[in-house]
Amino acid sequence: MLVYNSIVYTIREIGENIKDCDDFKGDVLFDFPMHKRTTMRVGGNASLIIEPADEKSLAYVLKLLSTEKLGFFVLGGGSNLVVSDDGVDIPVVSLRRLKSDIVLTEREDGDLLLKCSSGTSWGEILNFCTENNISGLLEFAGLPGTVGGAVFMNAGCFGNSISKVLKKAEYMTENGDKGTYEMNDADWAYKKSPFQDKKWIATSVFLRVSKSNDDVKNIALSYIEQRKAKGHFKKPCAGSVFRNPEGVSAGLLIDECGLKGFSIGGAKIAPWHANIIINEDNATQKDIKSLVDYIKTVVKQKKNVLLEPEIIFW
């Protein structure tokens, strides 16, 4: 781990202090394998993972790490992340335990809002929606990861996107200070959100929804079936690898270059979907990064289009 012995020791001390502090509720994990926290199932050990169970604990952790001048990484559901094979030597702040009850509120302007914490999974949100005949978010059925991660990436599914349904979000800065973001369309674009540039950490999200007389459960299931048909659940993966260039599908470009099924090491372009890379056989981050670079090179040569990765290498 390079010359990190003293740093790892300091990080462990900080982790132990957090674990023993009365102001913290949650889990503190040491030398934890990151492949267990990502859908690609790749990555070495993290020296320290901190999983706050409430906003007070999150604020405490952020203020402490800021005071100690320690960089850190915020982890949602790990659904678009490929972690280094060498592991992670900075603290990882995981939001997977940042959950509270999902609630519906009706505003004076008539909007029906669904409020949930950023660590809430889409499975939990869709279960709530189908049990309460709520529409507006059904296109997200089957989406891996958390709602906080989806806000950060402005996730989009079947014509819907976070930027179309978000009303507001409560957040914390890297210093643990609280704020509220009110939706402004000018701040958003395809796969872009203001949370990326400002490094805000969404804590609670308010999404516009509506009551429905339709069979919302079957509608949600139909979207899950479409994901299954595309092979999203066949093998460990991180979803779509590349952003779609304007006016064209990245998957179509890759397919037209004859790359479906091509592999490097344990990483393989899915035979059933050209914009998905699967962990076919104990893939490493190096395998996946090499395959991504190869795809970019071939598509640039044959189609004169430079593809931009959507997945995050860390």
Side-chain angles (χ1 to χ4, degrees):
M1 288 188 173
L2 301 177
V3 192
Y4 283 138
N5 287 337
S6 62
I7 295 178
V8 170
Y9 179 71
T10 302
I11 288 175
R12 187 172 187 91
E13 277 192 324
I14 290 173
E16 295 288 0
N17 290 338
I18 291 171
K19 192 175 181 179
D20 295 337
C21 180
D22 292 338
D23 290 331
F24 178 81
K25 293 181 181 179
D27 292 327
V28 177
L29 309 172
F30 300 101
D31 297 318
F32 190 87
M34 283 296 291
H35 68 82
K36 293 185 177 181
R37 287 287 187 267
T38 66
T39 58
M40 185 61 95
R41 299 293 183 260
V42 169
N45 288 1
S47 298
L48 173 64
I49 298 183
I50 309 163
E51 298 185 337
D54 54 35
E55 291 188 21
K56 179 182 177 182
S57 299
L58 175 61
Y60 165 74
V61 168
L62 295 177
K63 290 180 186 296
L64 176 63
L65 296 179
S66 176
T67 300
E68 295 293 333
K69 295 181 169 54
L70 274 177
F72 59 90
F73 185 86
V74 179
L75 178 67
S79 59
N80 69 333
L81 185 65
V82 184
V83 178
S84 169
D85 310 310
D86 296 328
V88 180
D89 287 301
I90 62 173
V92 177
V93 180
S94 169
L95 304 183
R96 66 194 297 268
R97 290 201 59 193
L98 199 64
K99 298 183 181 184
S100 59
D101 290 340
I102 301 172
V103 296
L104 287 176
T105 60
E106 187 167 0
R107 291 165 52 98
E108 292 181 1
D109 58 13
D111 273 348
L112 185 63
L113 299 181
L114 181 150
K115 179 188 178 184
C116 59
S117 297
S118 63
T120 308
S121 72
W122 283 103
E124 291 166 326
I125 292 172
L126 267 296
N127 284 341
F128 179 89
C129 289
T130 56
E131 289 170 3
N132 293 277
N133 295 319
I134 299 297
S135 64
L137 304 175
L138 301 180
E139 295 86 353
F140 295 96
L143 186 70
T146 61
V147 68
V151 169
F152 182 83
M153 293 299 296
N154 188 18
C157 308
F158 301 106
N160 203 354
S161 68
I162 290 297
S163 58
K164 291 182 179 180
V165 297
L166 182 68
K167 182 71 173 183
K168 66 177 181 177
E170 296 170 350
Y171 66 86
M172 288 186 194
T173 67
E174 290 182 309
N175 299 323
D177 297 327
K178 293 184 178 182
T180 300
Y181 171 79
E182 297 283 348
M183 181 62 191
N184 181 354
D185 290 340
D187 297 335
W188 299 73
Y190 173 64
K191 303 296 184 181
K192 298 289 185 182
S193 82
F195 291 81
Q196 297 170 14
D197 295 332
K198 296 182 182 297
K199 297 183 178 179
W200 291 336
I201 302 165
T203 52
S204 293
V205 176
F206 297 77
L207 304 171
R208 288 194 296 265
V209 295
S210 58
K211 282 284 189 179
S212 176
N213 293 320
D214 296 329
D215 187 348
V216 294
K217 184 174 182 178
N218 276 333
I219 295 172
L221 287 174
S222 72
Y223 287 118
I224 293 175
E225 288 303 316
Q226 290 183 63
R227 291 183 188 277
K228 288 181 179 178
K230 292 179 179 180
H232 284 202
F233 309 128
K234 288 183 179 180
K235 292 278 187 176
C237 71
S240 297
V241 176
F242 296 100
R243 291 177 166 87
N244 289 324
E246 188 171 354
V248 66
S249 160
L252 179 62
L253 293 173
I254 298 167
D255 191 12
E256 289 178 346
C257 290
L259 293 177
K260 269 187 182 177
F262 183 82
S263 63
I264 293 179
K268 184 176 184 178
I269 300 173
W272 54 85
H273 195 304
N275 198 21
I276 292 177
I277 290 177
I278 59 174
N279 185 347
E280 176 72 4
D281 184 19
N282 295 316
T284 64
Q285 188 201 57
K286 183 180 179 181
D287 294 339
I288 298 164
K289 182 68 165 59
S290 297
L291 186 51
V292 166
D293 290 342
Y294 180 77
I295 294 169
K296 289 174 63 178
T297 298
V298 173
V299 172
K300 178 62 177 174
Q301 289 175 346
K302 293 188 175 183
K303 296 293 185 179
N304 197 30
V305 176
L306 183 61
L307 293 178
E308 181 182 359
E310 179 177 333
I311 56 177
I312 298 170
F313 288 95
W314 178 41

